[in-house]
Amino acid sequence: MNDAAMPADVLLAEIRRHADVQQQLLLAAAAAEAAAINERAREKALRQLRRTQAELRATGAERQRRLDAELDTQARREAAARARAALDLVWPRLAPALQRRWADAPARAAWVEALVAQAAARLPAADWQVRHPRDWSADDGRGLQAALQRHGIETVQTLADDAIDAGLVIERDGVRLDGTPAALLADRARTEAELLALLGEAGALHG
């Protein structure tokens, strides 16, 4: 039966049925498209979120690195300031401390022994000239001779020197080992480095 032969009510019902089917198809297509759009939007949002998170992590890491570097720099500055303050406090006291050590008989004997040992390691074992303070005692002389014998040193000339008030100067053929306080403190940079090492080991530069 063609549409022209259909009764009007039947034709109207068929048109409505067809319209309903088309509407359902359109609604289904629209729903599918909406779902696809939503999925694409969700994936885009997730990608953006991941990028944002990565950027934040990178930014946070960079900020943390900068903060760590700043803290490290500040810590080094503070350590340097503590070191400088400690050296400035200790340095003026070194010369008097050496004089007090020389004035103490056991410490003076250890000083002499150390100088003789250093000279024995550098100079031939004969024909030394040892200059000492004017107030050199007989006991000091015997202690020096004993130290020289322990290190196998022969033919030593000893001389009092008014320019020396502490320590000894040992010479041979122009080679000189100066063990006076002035000479020991002459290389300030080296002495300060050694002091810093000692202060660091004692914990005086920390905190």
Side-chain angles (χ1 to χ4, degrees):
M1 178 184 295
N2 56 37
D3 292 344
M6 282 185 181
D9 56 342
V10 175
L11 181 58
L12 181 59
E14 182 64 21
I15 291 172
R16 287 176 177 171
R17 185 187 67 78
H18 183 72
D20 288 341
V21 171
Q22 291 296 108
Q23 184 180 25
Q24 292 299 320
L25 291 175
L26 288 173
L27 289 174
E33 181 63 20
I37 291 172
N38 286 336
E39 180 62 21
R40 289 195 296 271
R42 188 181 71 84
E43 291 178 355
K44 181 179 180 180
L46 285 175
R47 288 196 298 272
Q48 182 61 41
L49 177 61
R50 293 190 187 101
R51 282 197 298 270
T52 301
Q53 290 174 335
E55 290 170 358
L56 288 174
R57 283 194 295 270
T59 301
E62 180 59 28
R63 287 177 179 172
Q64 187 63 49
R65 282 193 293 271
R66 287 200 299 268
L67 179 59
D68 290 343
E70 290 172 2
L71 291 174
D72 184 60
T73 299
Q74 182 63 26
R76 287 199 303 271
R77 287 174 179 167
E78 291 176 357
R82 288 196 300 272
R84 187 69 264 165
L87 291 174
D88 290 343
L89 179 65
V90 170
W91 187 262
R93 303 180 183 184
L94 288 181
L98 289 173
Q99 292 289 348
R100 288 193 299 272
R101 184 169 179 81
W102 181 258
D104 178 74
R108 184 167 63 252
W111 191 327
V112 169
E113 175 69 29
L115 286 174
V116 170
Q118 289 181 36
R122 301 177 185 181
L123 303 176
D127 301 324
W128 285 13
Q129 182 183 86
V130 180
R131 292 190 283 118
H132 56 75
R134 177 66 63 180
D135 60 355
W136 191 248
S137 69
D139 286 342
D140 292 327
R142 285 189 289 270
L144 173 61
Q145 291 301 322
L148 292 168
Q149 289 175 6
R150 282 192 293 274
H151 291 279
I153 310 302
E154 302 175 353
T155 320
V156 176
Q157 178 187 19
T158 59
L159 299 171
D161 189 334
D162 291 332
I164 299 175
D165 57 4
L168 301 175
V169 176
I170 301 174
E171 294 179 302
R172 186 187 189 279
D173 296 335
V175 179
R176 172 189 177 101
L177 177 64
D178 192 334
T180 63
L184 294 174
L185 299 177
D187 189 346
R188 180 162 181 163
R190 178 179 177 181
T191 303
E192 286 188 341
E194 293 173 351
L195 283 172
L196 286 177
L198 292 173
L199 291 170
E201 290 174 3
L205 299 182
H206 303 294

XYZ file of all heavy atoms in Angstrom, residues 57-141:
670
model
N 55.700 20.825 40.259
C 56.789 20.053 40.864
C 58.141 20.620 40.462
O 59.053 20.759 41.288
C 56.679 18.577 40.464
C 55.610 17.814 41.217
C 55.786 16.326 41.039
N 55.588 15.921 39.649
C 54.427 15.558 39.137
N 53.346 15.542 39.915
N 54.315 15.204 37.870
N 58.265 20.934 39.167
C 59.532 21.503 38.693
C 59.805 22.845 39.356
O 60.922 23.132 39.791
C 59.506 21.647 37.175
N 58.743 23.661 39.416
C 58.898 24.964 40.062
C 59.236 24.804 41.532
O 60.113 25.488 42.070
C 57.611 25.795 39.907
O 57.324 25.960 38.516
C 57.757 27.159 40.559
N 58.546 23.850 42.177
C 58.828 23.608 43.589
C 60.238 23.105 43.810
O 60.923 23.524 44.744
N 60.677 22.186 42.919
C 62.043 21.666 43.039
C 63.065 22.771 42.838
O 64.072 22.841 43.549
C 62.255 20.536 42.030
N 62.805 23.628 41.845
C 63.733 24.738 41.591
C 63.751 25.700 42.773
O 64.820 26.167 43.185
C 63.316 25.470 40.314
C 64.221 26.648 39.954
C 65.661 26.249 39.744
O 65.921 25.098 39.350
O 66.552 27.092 39.989
N 62.563 25.977 43.302
C 62.502 26.847 44.473
C 63.248 26.221 45.644
O 63.956 26.896 46.385
C 61.049 27.117 44.848
C 60.326 28.063 43.902
C 58.878 28.226 44.304
N 58.171 29.146 43.417
C 56.868 29.344 43.443
N 56.115 28.682 44.315
N 56.296 30.205 42.610
N 63.082 24.890 45.807
C 63.774 24.204 46.897
C 65.282 24.248 46.695
O 66.047 24.442 47.648
C 63.296 22.752 46.993
C 63.834 22.006 48.210
C 63.362 22.623 49.507
O 62.173 22.877 49.684
N 64.282 22.889 50.425
N 65.712 24.064 45.419
C 67.151 24.138 45.137
C 67.690 25.531 45.443
O 68.774 25.677 46.023
C 67.416 23.769 43.668
C 67.372 22.278 43.393
C 67.956 21.964 42.014
N 67.133 22.501 40.949
C 66.121 21.840 40.396
N 65.799 20.636 40.836
N 65.429 22.371 39.411
N 66.919 26.552 45.043
C 67.360 27.919 45.326
C 67.415 28.177 46.827
O 68.356 28.797 47.333
C 66.431 28.931 44.644
C 66.597 29.005 43.134
C 66.037 30.320 42.597
N 64.620 30.459 42.880
C 63.655 30.078 42.063
N 63.956 29.511 40.903
N 62.382 30.256 42.377
N 66.400 27.673 47.534
C 66.375 27.850 48.990
C 67.543 27.136 49.640
O 68.219 27.695 50.523
C 65.050 27.322 49.548
C 64.881 27.412 51.077
C 64.992 28.856 51.540
C 63.552 26.809 51.507
N 67.799 25.892 49.183
C 68.934 25.141 49.736
C 70.252 25.866 49.469
O 71.125 25.914 50.337
C 68.980 23.733 49.129
C 67.836 22.862 49.613
O 67.216 23.216 50.643
O 67.558 21.835 48.974
N 70.385 26.402 48.243
C 71.613 27.127 47.901
C 71.767 28.372 48.765
O 72.865 28.689 49.245
C 71.604 27.513 46.422
N 70.653 29.080 48.975
C 70.703 30.283 49.812
C 71.059 29.931 51.251
O 71.866 30.618 51.889
C 69.351 31.010 49.761
C 69.060 31.662 48.418
C 67.641 32.215 48.335
O 66.922 32.103 49.356
O 67.261 32.734 47.276
N 70.459 28.844 51.747
C 70.767 28.422 53.111
C 72.218 27.978 53.237
O 72.888 28.273 54.235
C 69.829 27.274 53.519
C 68.362 27.647 53.715
C 67.520 26.405 53.975
C 68.199 28.640 54.855
N 72.706 27.280 52.202
C 74.098 26.829 52.221
C 75.051 28.019 52.189
O 76.045 28.057 52.918
C 74.359 25.901 51.030
C 75.763 25.326 51.056
O 76.100 24.642 52.031
O 76.531 25.560 50.103
N 74.728 28.990 51.333
C 75.561 30.198 51.258
C 75.561 30.937 52.591
O 76.613 31.378 53.078
C 75.051 31.129 50.144
O 75.136 30.449 48.892
C 75.870 32.411 50.090
N 74.379 31.064 53.188
C 74.274 31.741 54.471
C 75.057 30.993 55.547
O 75.740 31.609 56.378
C 72.806 31.866 54.879
C 72.580 32.608 56.187
C 73.039 34.055 56.135
O 73.074 34.654 55.064
N 73.404 34.613 57.272
N 74.977 29.649 55.513
C 75.705 28.852 56.504
C 77.209 29.035 56.342
O 77.947 29.144 57.333
C 75.332 27.371 56.354
N 77.670 29.080 55.064
C 79.102 29.288 54.838
C 79.532 30.670 55.311
O 80.629 30.823 55.891
C 79.429 29.102 53.354
C 79.392 27.655 52.888
C 80.169 27.485 51.583
N 79.649 28.350 50.543
C 78.666 28.003 49.706
N 78.096 26.821 49.819
N 78.256 28.831 48.772
N 78.689 31.672 55.063
C 79.026 33.020 55.517
C 79.109 33.078 57.038
O 80.021 33.691 57.604
C 77.978 34.008 55.018
C 78.063 34.297 53.519
C 76.902 35.158 53.077
N 76.966 35.466 51.655
C 75.974 35.981 50.955
N 74.823 36.258 51.567
N 76.112 36.227 49.664
N 78.141 32.422 57.684
C 78.155 32.426 59.146
C 79.363 31.670 59.680
O 79.983 32.100 60.670
C 76.858 31.802 59.669
C 75.626 32.660 59.404
C 74.343 31.990 59.832
O 74.417 30.825 60.285
O 73.278 32.612 59.721
N 79.714 30.540 59.036
C 80.892 29.786 59.465
C 82.160 30.608 59.275
O 83.056 30.610 60.130
C 80.988 28.466 58.686
N 82.243 31.314 58.139
C 83.409 32.162 57.885
C 83.492 33.281 58.910
O 84.588 33.628 59.382
C 83.348 32.733 56.468
N 82.339 33.855 59.251
C 82.327 34.931 60.249
C 82.761 34.406 61.612
O 83.536 35.066 62.329
C 80.932 35.554 60.337
N 82.278 33.204 61.971
C 82.699 32.614 63.248
C 84.189 32.319 63.247
O 84.888 32.555 64.236
C 81.911 31.333 63.522
C 80.465 31.554 63.894
C 79.857 30.303 64.517
N 79.912 29.168 63.607
C 78.963 28.896 62.712
N 77.906 29.678 62.602
N 79.070 27.831 61.932
N 84.671 31.804 62.107
C 86.098 31.501 62.005
C 86.941 32.767 62.141
O 87.951 32.794 62.855
C 86.395 30.812 60.672
N 86.519 33.832 61.434
C 87.268 35.081 61.496
C 87.270 35.641 62.910
O 88.299 36.126 63.405
C 86.647 36.092 60.530
C 87.411 37.389 60.352
C 88.718 37.153 59.629
N 89.843 37.006 60.543
C 91.008 36.525 60.186
N 91.219 36.103 58.951
N 91.981 36.419 61.061
N 86.108 35.579 63.566
C 86.017 36.088 64.933
C 86.902 35.277 65.870
O 87.578 35.836 66.751
C 84.566 36.051 65.409
N 86.916 33.950 65.666
C 87.757 33.102 66.518
C 89.236 33.401 66.302
O 90.012 33.505 67.258
C 87.471 31.627 66.229
N 89.628 33.561 65.035
C 91.030 33.862 64.744
C 91.428 35.220 65.301
O 92.529 35.377 65.853
C 91.277 33.820 63.230
C 91.205 32.439 62.576
C 91.323 32.564 61.072
C 92.295 31.528 63.123
N 90.549 36.199 65.139
C 90.851 37.531 65.664
C 90.986 37.509 67.183
O 91.739 38.309 67.757
C 89.752 38.523 65.258
C 89.784 38.827 63.758
O 90.816 38.542 63.126
O 88.778 39.338 63.239
N 90.247 36.601 67.824
C 90.334 36.490 69.274
C 91.606 35.754 69.699
O 92.276 36.148 70.665
C 89.102 35.737 69.797
C 89.024 35.512 71.311
C 88.885 36.848 72.033
C 87.862 34.591 71.657
N 91.955 34.702 68.953
C 93.078 33.858 69.345
C 94.425 34.451 68.954
O 95.403 34.352 69.707
C 92.912 32.449 68.716
C 94.176 31.611 68.898
C 91.715 31.742 69.340
N 94.490 35.076 67.781
C 95.786 35.491 67.241
C 96.615 36.351 68.203
O 97.807 36.069 68.401
C 95.604 36.199 65.901
C 96.917 36.498 65.241
C 97.609 37.671 65.258
C 97.723 35.579 64.509
N 98.790 37.552 64.579
C 98.889 36.271 64.108
C 97.573 34.242 64.158
C 99.894 35.673 63.370
C 98.573 33.641 63.416
C 99.714 34.350 63.029
N 96.055 37.391 68.818
C 96.886 38.218 69.711
C 97.412 37.461 70.923
O 98.352 37.922 71.581
C 95.925 39.344 70.152
C 94.830 39.338 69.144
C 94.678 37.920 68.721
N 96.810 36.319 71.218
C 97.204 35.557 72.400
C 98.298 34.533 72.108
O 98.837 33.927 73.046
C 95.983 34.831 72.974
C 94.831 35.763 73.317
C 93.667 35.009 73.877
N 92.529 35.898 74.150
C 91.394 35.507 74.722
N 91.241 34.244 75.075
N 90.419 36.371 74.937
N 98.606 34.319 70.829
C 99.552 33.261 70.485
C 100.969 33.570 70.959
O 101.626 32.712 71.560
C 99.537 33.023 68.971
C 98.295 32.330 68.420
C 98.431 32.148 66.913
C 98.063 30.995 69.094
N 101.449 34.765 70.648
C 102.827 35.103 71.045
C 103.019 35.017 72.555
O 103.984 34.391 73.028
C 103.208 36.482 70.514
N 102.135 35.610 73.374
C 102.278 35.444 74.821
C 102.188 33.984 75.263
O 102.890 33.566 76.189
C 101.121 36.273 75.394
C 100.808 37.283 74.341
C 101.060 36.578 73.053
N 101.321 33.205 74.580
C 101.191 31.787 74.937
C 102.496 31.040 74.649
O 102.915 30.176 75.434
C 100.032 31.162 74.163
N 103.142 31.373 73.527
C 104.419 30.738 73.211
C 105.495 31.137 74.237
O 106.322 30.305 74.631
C 104.865 31.123 71.803
C 104.052 30.490 70.658
C 104.476 31.084 69.317
C 104.232 28.975 70.641
N 105.470 32.390 74.639
C 106.431 32.834 75.652
C 106.210 32.078 76.967
O 107.183 31.657 77.617
C 106.292 34.344 75.887
C 106.730 35.208 74.718
C 108.245 35.198 74.516
O 109.002 34.741 75.363
N 108.668 35.693 73.366
N 104.955 31.891 77.339
C 104.669 31.144 78.568
C 105.105 29.691 78.433
O 105.612 29.092 79.383
C 103.169 31.211 78.894
C 102.708 32.578 79.389
C 101.313 32.509 79.984
N 100.316 32.067 79.017
C 99.662 32.899 78.209
N 99.909 34.207 78.222
N 98.749 32.431 77.372
N 104.917 29.131 77.245
C 105.329 27.740 77.030
C 106.843 27.618 77.133
O 107.363 26.668 77.715
C 104.845 27.263 75.656
C 105.132 25.802 75.384
C 104.400 25.316 74.150
N 104.698 23.920 73.880
C 104.115 22.910 74.505
N 103.205 23.131 75.426
N 104.439 21.655 74.203
N 107.571 28.582 76.575
C 109.031 28.551 76.664
C 109.494 28.717 78.116
O 110.502 28.148 78.524
C 109.640 29.618 75.778
C 111.136 29.622 75.795
C 111.944 30.479 76.475
C 111.993 28.723 75.106
N 113.262 30.176 76.257
C 113.316 29.087 75.407
C 111.779 27.636 74.254
C 114.422 28.416 74.898
C 112.878 26.959 73.747
C 114.184 27.350 74.064
N 108.758 29.495 78.898
C 109.127 29.728 80.290
C 108.902 28.498 81.167
O 109.471 28.406 82.262
C 108.335 30.910 80.855
N 108.100 27.544 80.697
C 107.824 26.323 81.449
C 108.869 25.271 81.080
O 109.020 24.915 79.903
C 106.426 25.817 81.113
C 106.093 24.526 81.823
O 105.848 24.576 83.036
O 106.090 23.467 81.144
N 109.628 24.780 82.074
C 110.776 23.905 81.807
C 110.410 22.649 81.006
O 111.074 22.337 80.006
C 111.466 23.538 83.115
N 109.402 21.877 81.406
C 109.060 20.686 80.603
C 108.635 21.049 79.172
O 109.007 20.363 78.217
C 107.914 20.045 81.393
C 108.080 20.532 82.784
C 108.604 21.926 82.650
N 107.852 22.123 79.035
C 107.427 22.536 77.694
C 108.622 23.018 76.888
O 108.714 22.763 75.673
C 106.384 23.647 77.804
N 109.534 23.709 77.526
C 110.736 24.184 76.825
C 111.574 22.994 76.345
O 112.090 22.998 75.218
C 111.556 25.075 77.761
C 112.774 25.693 77.099
C 113.382 26.806 77.946
N 113.879 26.335 79.238
C 113.302 26.597 80.402
N 112.177 27.323 80.451
N 113.826 26.152 81.535
N 111.712 21.967 77.185
C 112.464 20.772 76.778
C 111.814 20.094 75.576
O 112.503 19.644 74.645
C 112.554 19.800 77.955
N 110.472 20.035 75.565
C 109.768 19.437 74.421
C 109.964 20.287 73.174
O 110.111 19.755 72.057
C 108.282 19.307 74.747
N 109.994 21.602 73.340
C 110.230 22.526 72.227
C 111.605 22.272 71.627
O 111.754 22.150 70.398
C 110.124 23.957 72.765
C 110.079 25.068 71.772
C 110.692 25.124 70.553
C 109.398 26.324 71.931
N 110.458 26.330 69.947
C 109.650 27.080 70.766
C 108.611 26.871 72.932
C 109.149 28.380 70.596
C 108.097 28.148 72.763
C 108.361 28.897 71.603
N 112.617 22.188 72.484
C 113.993 21.946 72.023
C 114.082 20.600 71.305
O 114.687 20.488 70.234
C 114.970 21.994 73.216
C 116.352 21.488 72.808
C 115.066 23.423 73.766
N 113.471 19.585 71.885
C 113.499 18.248 71.276
C 112.872 18.278 69.875
O 113.405 17.691 68.930
C 112.742 17.274 72.172
C 112.594 15.870 71.594
C 113.915 15.117 71.539
O 114.787 15.402 72.383
O 114.074 14.258 70.645
N 111.746 18.977 69.735
C 111.071 19.042 68.446
C 111.926 19.770 67.411
O 112.011 19.344 66.244
C 109.723 19.740 68.601
N 112.575 20.856 67.818
C 113.422 21.598 66.876
C 114.623 20.772 66.442
O 114.989 20.763 65.260
C 113.878 22.907 67.517
C 112.823 24.006 67.636
C 113.397 25.189 68.419
C 112.366 24.460 66.262
N 115.240 20.084 67.389
C 116.393 19.246 67.038
C 115.964 18.135 66.086
O 116.666 17.826 65.112
C 117.041 18.663 68.312
C 118.081 17.603 67.960
C 117.687 19.780 69.128
N 114.803 17.542 66.339
C 114.307 16.476 65.452
C 114.061 17.013 64.045
O 114.416 16.361 63.045
C 113.028 15.880 66.027
N 113.469 18.200 63.939
C 113.231 18.788 62.620
C 114.541 19.093 61.911
O 114.688 18.832 60.706
C 112.415 20.075 62.770
C 110.964 19.850 63.169
C 110.208 21.157 63.277
O 110.440 22.088 62.497
N 109.302 21.246 64.233
N 115.503 19.664 62.638
C 116.793 19.994 62.029
C 117.529 18.730 61.599
O 118.164 18.700 60.535
C 117.640 20.799 63.009
N 117.460 17.681 62.419
C 118.140 16.421 62.087
C 117.578 15.819 60.803
O 118.296 15.132 60.060
C 118.010 15.436 63.242
N 116.318 16.071 60.539
C 115.698 15.538 59.326
C 116.077 16.342 58.091
O 115.901 15.860 56.957
C 114.176 15.516 59.485
N 116.645 17.548 58.276
C 116.928 18.423 57.147
C 118.419 18.711 56.940
O 118.823 19.050 55.819
C 116.199 19.766 57.344
C 114.703 19.639 57.476
C 114.066 20.990 57.745
N 112.634 20.870 58.002
C 111.834 21.886 58.242
N 112.321 23.119 58.262
N 110.548 21.685 58.473
N 119.200 18.611 58.008
C 120.606 19.023 57.934
C 121.540 17.837 58.131
O 121.177 16.864 58.786
C 120.897 20.073 59.018
C 120.047 21.341 59.010
C 120.402 22.208 60.213
C 120.242 22.108 57.725
N 122.744 17.929 57.567
C 123.747 16.909 57.879
C 124.008 16.863 59.391
O 123.878 17.871 60.086
C 124.989 17.396 57.118
C 124.451 18.248 56.027
C 123.228 18.915 56.597
N 124.411 15.699 59.883
C 124.486 15.483 61.329
C 125.811 15.950 61.931
O 126.420 15.242 62.748
C 124.248 14.008 61.631
N 126.266 17.130 61.558
C 127.516 17.655 62.135
C 127.639 19.137 61.816
O 126.971 19.655 60.900
C 128.720 16.893 61.589
N 128.502 19.799 62.601
C 128.844 21.208 62.348
C 127.631 22.137 62.405
O 127.479 23.033 61.578
C 129.556 21.357 60.986
C 130.836 20.538 60.923
O 131.515 20.439 61.955
O 131.128 19.995 59.849
N 126.810 21.926 63.397
C 125.676 22.812 63.599
C 126.089 24.013 64.434
O 126.992 23.938 65.279
C 124.545 22.108 64.351
C 123.746 21.128 63.533
C 124.042 20.625 62.309
C 122.535 20.504 63.956
N 123.096 19.733 61.913
C 122.142 19.639 62.909
C 121.748 20.577 65.088
C 120.992 18.853 62.987
C 120.609 19.802 65.175
C 120.226 18.945 64.119
N 125.379 25.107 64.234
C 125.455 26.245 65.148
C 124.049 26.453 65.723
O 123.094 26.620 64.968
C 125.910 27.517 64.425
C 126.057 28.717 65.369
C 126.423 29.982 64.638
O 125.535 30.703 64.148
N 127.709 30.268 64.549
N 123.994 26.412 67.039
C 122.699 26.569 67.719
C 122.738 27.850 68.540
O 123.560 27.990 69.451
C 122.391 25.363 68.630
C 121.043 25.569 69.324
C 122.377 24.071 67.828
N 121.869 28.772 68.227
C 121.785 30.028 68.973
C 120.567 29.984 69.890
O 119.494 29.559 69.478
C 121.715 31.217 68.002
C 123.026 31.387 67.241
C 123.108 32.677 66.450
N 122.325 32.606 65.212
C 121.309 33.386 64.941
N 120.901 34.291 65.819
N 120.671 33.267 63.791
N 120.778 30.458 71.106
C 119.752 30.348 72.138
C 119.655 31.664 72.916
O 120.523 32.546 72.773
C 120.079 29.191 73.086
C 121.430 29.297 73.711
N 121.744 30.175 74.735
C 122.586 28.627 73.437
C 122.996 30.051 75.081
N 123.552 29.110 74.295
N 118.623 31.824 73.763
C 118.500 33.062 74.545
C 119.669 33.254 75.510
O 120.345 32.293 75.891
C 117.180 32.868 75.307
C 116.414 31.879 74.511
C 117.436 30.953 73.933
N 119.874 34.486 75.931
C 120.972 34.803 76.835
C 120.792 34.122 78.189
O 121.787 33.710 78.826
C 121.047 36.329 77.015
C 122.094 36.813 77.995
C 123.497 36.527 77.515
N 123.800 37.244 76.274
C 124.991 37.142 75.653
N 125.950 36.344 76.128
N 125.198 37.801 74.524
N 119.539 33.979 78.639
C 119.296 33.378 79.959
C 119.231 31.852 79.917
O 118.607 31.204 80.742
C 118.003 33.942 80.564
C 116.775 33.648 79.699
O 116.924 33.088 78.598
O 115.656 33.999 80.128
N 119.904 31.271 78.965
C 119.996 29.809 78.812
C 120.693 29.236 80.040
O 121.789 29.646 80.397
C 120.803 29.527 77.558
C 120.858 28.126 77.021
C 121.967 27.336 77.010
C 119.839 27.400 76.369
N 121.695 26.146 76.401
C 120.372 26.163 75.985
C 118.502 27.673 76.065
C 119.646 25.195 75.329
C 117.765 26.714 75.405
C 118.328 25.480 75.049
N 120.043 28.274 80.699
C 120.612 27.722 81.930
C 121.468 26.491 81.635
O 121.445 25.939 80.530
C 119.486 27.344 82.900
O 118.763 26.221 82.381
N 122.203 26.063 82.674
C 123.004 24.839 82.523
C 122.110 23.639 82.249
O 122.458 22.757 81.447
C 123.834 24.621 83.783
N 120.956 23.587 82.905
C 120.026 22.480 82.656
C 119.532 22.504 81.214
O 119.370 21.453 80.576
C 118.834 22.572 83.607
C 119.198 22.169 85.030
O 120.240 21.515 85.206
O 118.438 22.519 85.948
N 119.273 23.727 80.699
C 118.862 23.832 79.289
C 119.955 23.300 78.377
O 119.676 22.594 77.396
C 118.560 25.291 78.942
C 117.318 25.812 79.646
O 116.383 25.024 79.874
O 117.289 27.007 79.972
N 121.206 23.643 78.693
C 122.326 23.176 77.869
C 122.438 21.663 77.888
O 122.659 21.037 76.838
